[in-house]
């Protein structure tokens, strides 16, 4: 028993940030990068099938979240239609994808009023993301470089924000939306994402560096905005992770949220610059 005024015999150890999830996180990331790179390089039907399947899986999580109930047969039909909207694109183009998404919306309306707006909104969102990703990839090699560039900015932003925020901590970025995110993480993500994107930009295009810098910084900010937006939706439905299919990351939505605004931004910039039939060229070549 310690005497009065002496230090406690069993002091509470300082808290430490847990890094136990790093192994599964790295392993999952390696598999995802390999799959994405292979599909991006081959393009055509493989890329369309992978994009459709991935966002179909993401819609499965969305359907479960907004319905707050196990999947129904019609819910499974919606998942299949979202996935199919990607696969039909190489055959029938964007019009084919839009037709499948429109059919999915009709099925969603027929499922009843409860959750209808969220259900239809998710179908439209994932349908637009599928069409945007396919438009960015296109048929030429520029689509490979555009995908590499976008992926580098987004994933370097995500990784740097994760590690910087966990290591440094500090003031919360948006405590009411995502209590774990900090300003240090956001700034670290912006810095590394922008620099990494600029390096890729300088390697794959001879366009002015300052354009690459501005686009990279914009994508980095938008990727974090996408992450926060998904966090806000999950908080609305009182769920922590959209799923558990990816060890160390959660669900597909948790992994893809940072791409959402970034891929839209890339398609808008590239499409306005060179036409929506040459999105990758419009993004990279100025």
């Amino acid at each position: 028993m310690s005497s009065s005024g002496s230090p406690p015999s069993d002091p509470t150890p300082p808290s430490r940030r847990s890094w136990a999830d790093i192994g599964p996180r790295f392993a999952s990331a390696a598999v995802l990068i390999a799959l994405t790179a292979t599909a991006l390089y081959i393009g055509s039907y493989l890329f369309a099938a992978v994009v459709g399947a991935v966002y179909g899986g993401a819609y499965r999580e969305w359907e479960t979240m907004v319905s707050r109930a196990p999947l129904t047969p019609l819910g499974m039909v919606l998942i299949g239609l979202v996935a199919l909207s990607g696969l039909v694109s190489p055959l029938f183009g964007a019009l084919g994808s839009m037709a499948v998404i429109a059919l999915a919306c009709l099925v969603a309306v027929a499922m009843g009023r409860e959750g209808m707006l969220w259900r239809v909104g998710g179908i439209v969102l994932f349908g637009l993301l599928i069409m945007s990703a396919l438009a960015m990839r296109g048929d030429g090699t520029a689509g490979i470089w555009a995908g590499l560039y976008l992926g580098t900015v987004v994933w370097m932003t995500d990784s740097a924000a994760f590690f910087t925020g966990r290591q440094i901590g500090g003031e919360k970025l948006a405590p009411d939306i995502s209590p774990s995110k900090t300003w240090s993480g956001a700034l670290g993500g912006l810095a590394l994402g922008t620099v990494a994107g600029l390096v890729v930009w300088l390697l794959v295009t001879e366009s002015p560096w300052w354009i690459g810098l501005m686009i990279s910084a914009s994508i980095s900010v938008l990727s974090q905005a996408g992450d926060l937006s998904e966090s806000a939706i999950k908080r609305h439905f009182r769920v922590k992770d959209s799923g558990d299919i990816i060890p160390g990351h959660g669900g597909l939505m948790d992994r893809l949220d940072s791409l959402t605004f970034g891929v839209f931004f890339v398609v808008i910039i590239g499409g306005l610059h060179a036409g929506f039939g040459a999105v990758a060229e419009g993004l990279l070549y100025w």
Side-chain angles (χ1 to χ4, degrees):
M1 185 172 184
S2 62
S3 61
S4 177
S6 63
S9 59
D10 186 21
T12 302
S15 62
R16 295 186 178 181
R17 295 178 177 87
S18 173
W19 297 92
D21 58 341
I22 295 303
R25 193 177 182 92
F26 273 132
S28 301
V31 173
L32 291 172
I33 290 171
L35 175 63
T36 302
T38 301
L40 186 65
Y41 178 77
I42 295 175
S44 189
Y45 290 100
L46 178 62
F47 185 71
V50 168
V51 169
V54 166
Y55 279 110
Y59 181 76
R60 176 186 178 278
E61 297 170 354
W62 181 278
E63 174 68 23
T64 303
M65 180 177 67
V66 302
S67 65
R68 299 183 174 92
L71 281 174
T72 64
L74 284 179
M76 295 179 185
V77 169
L78 293 180
I79 295 168
L81 288 173
V82 171
L84 182 63
S85 71
L87 193 56
V88 301
S89 182
L91 287 172
F92 304 107
L95 288 177
S97 296
M98 285 189 284
V100 174
I101 291 300
L103 176 60
C105 289
L106 291 176
V107 174
V109 171
M111 291 173 68
R113 294 175 60 87
E114 186 176 357
M116 182 184 70
L117 291 179
W118 282 104
R119 188 173 281 118
V120 171
I123 292 168
V124 171
L125 172 64
F126 292 126
L128 288 173
L129 284 167
I130 289 170
M131 289 190 289
S132 296
L134 296 177
M136 178 197 69
R137 174 57 182 89
D139 298 321
T141 56
I144 301 174
W145 302 127
L148 173 65
Y149 170 67
L150 174 64
T152 298
V153 177
V154 169
W155 283 322
M156 287 298 99
T157 296
D158 195 32
S159 298
F162 174 80
F163 286 108
T164 306
R166 180 171 288 197
Q167 186 64 31
I168 298 176
E171 186 176 352
K172 302 299 183 182
L173 176 64
D176 293 336
I177 297 175
S178 183
S180 64
K181 291 180 174 58
T182 62
W183 278 103
S184 64
L187 294 174
L190 174 61
L192 184 59
T194 301
V195 171
L198 181 59
V199 169
V200 174
W201 180 274
L202 294 174
L203 291 174
V204 303
T205 177
E206 296 180 356
S207 300
W209 67 269
W210 58 269
I211 295 180
L213 180 67
M214 290 195 302
I215 295 178
S216 298
S218 298
I219 294 173
S220 182
V221 171
L222 289 170
S223 74
Q224 298 190 60
D227 194 344
L228 283 173
S229 297
E230 195 232 9
S231 295
I233 294 172
K234 289 190 300 183
R235 181 162 286 264
H236 174 80
F237 287 101
R238 299 182 180 180
V239 298
K240 182 180 184 296
D241 294 320
S242 64
D244 57 3
I245 193 172
I246 308 175
H249 294 275
L252 287 168
M253 283 174 53
D254 298 317
R255 180 71 290 200
L256 297 169
D257 53 7
S258 299
L259 275 170
T260 299
F261 294 150
V263 72
F264 286 154
F265 179 71
V266 161
V267 170
I268 291 171
I269 291 292
L272 291 177
H273 183 219
F276 289 95
V279 168
E281 292 81 358
L283 172 70
L284 296 174
Y285 305 130
W286 295 77

